[in-house]
Amino acid sequence: MDNKKKRSLDEYDEVMETKDVREYLGISRDKAYELMSSGKFYVVQSGRSKLVAREVFRAWLHGG
């Protein structure tokens, strides 16, 4: 049994990486990359990394 407490969204950096989105949502790596490439929210490509502002992610999460 995993006793690890889930981090609150506010504990993540202001700019989240795909791995952060994956961890927060509890989804697979492939699903996280699919979501980050879906156009559902504004993502910045920096080299091979995809980045999303935490507040943009929060707004999407809450239906905004």
Side-chain angles (χ1 to χ4, degrees), residues 20 24 31 37 49 52:
D20 300 323
Y24 185 77
K31 287 290 182 189
S37 299
S49 299
V52 60

Side-chain angles (χ1 to χ4, degrees), residues 31 34-43 52 56-57 59-61 63-64:
K31 287 290 182 189
E34 183 180 316
L35 177 61
M36 294 289 275
S37 299
S38 70
K40 293 181 187 249
F41 47 81
Y42 183 74
V43 172
V52 60
V56 168
F57 179 71
W60 168 80
L61 193 61

Side-chain angles (χ1 to χ4, degrees), residues 3-54:
N3 291 329
K4 187 177 177 182
K5 184 180 176 195
K6 182 177 176 177
R7 292 168 61 185
S8 86
L9 192 54
D10 292 323
E11 294 180 77
Y12 288 88
D13 291 336
E14 286 185 46
V15 176
M16 298 172 69
E17 299 178 33
T18 305
K19 68 179 178 64
D20 300 323
V21 170
R22 174 186 179 200
E23 177 183 288
Y24 185 77
L25 294 176
I27 59 178
S28 71
R29 182 177 181 266
D30 289 343
K31 287 290 182 189
Y33 277 100
E34 183 180 316
L35 177 61
M36 294 289 275
S37 299
S38 70
K40 293 181 187 249
F41 47 81
Y42 183 74
V43 172
V44 174
Q45 182 88 33
S46 176
R48 293 179 55 183
S49 299
K50 292 183 183 290
L51 309 169
V52 60
R54 184 181 62 215

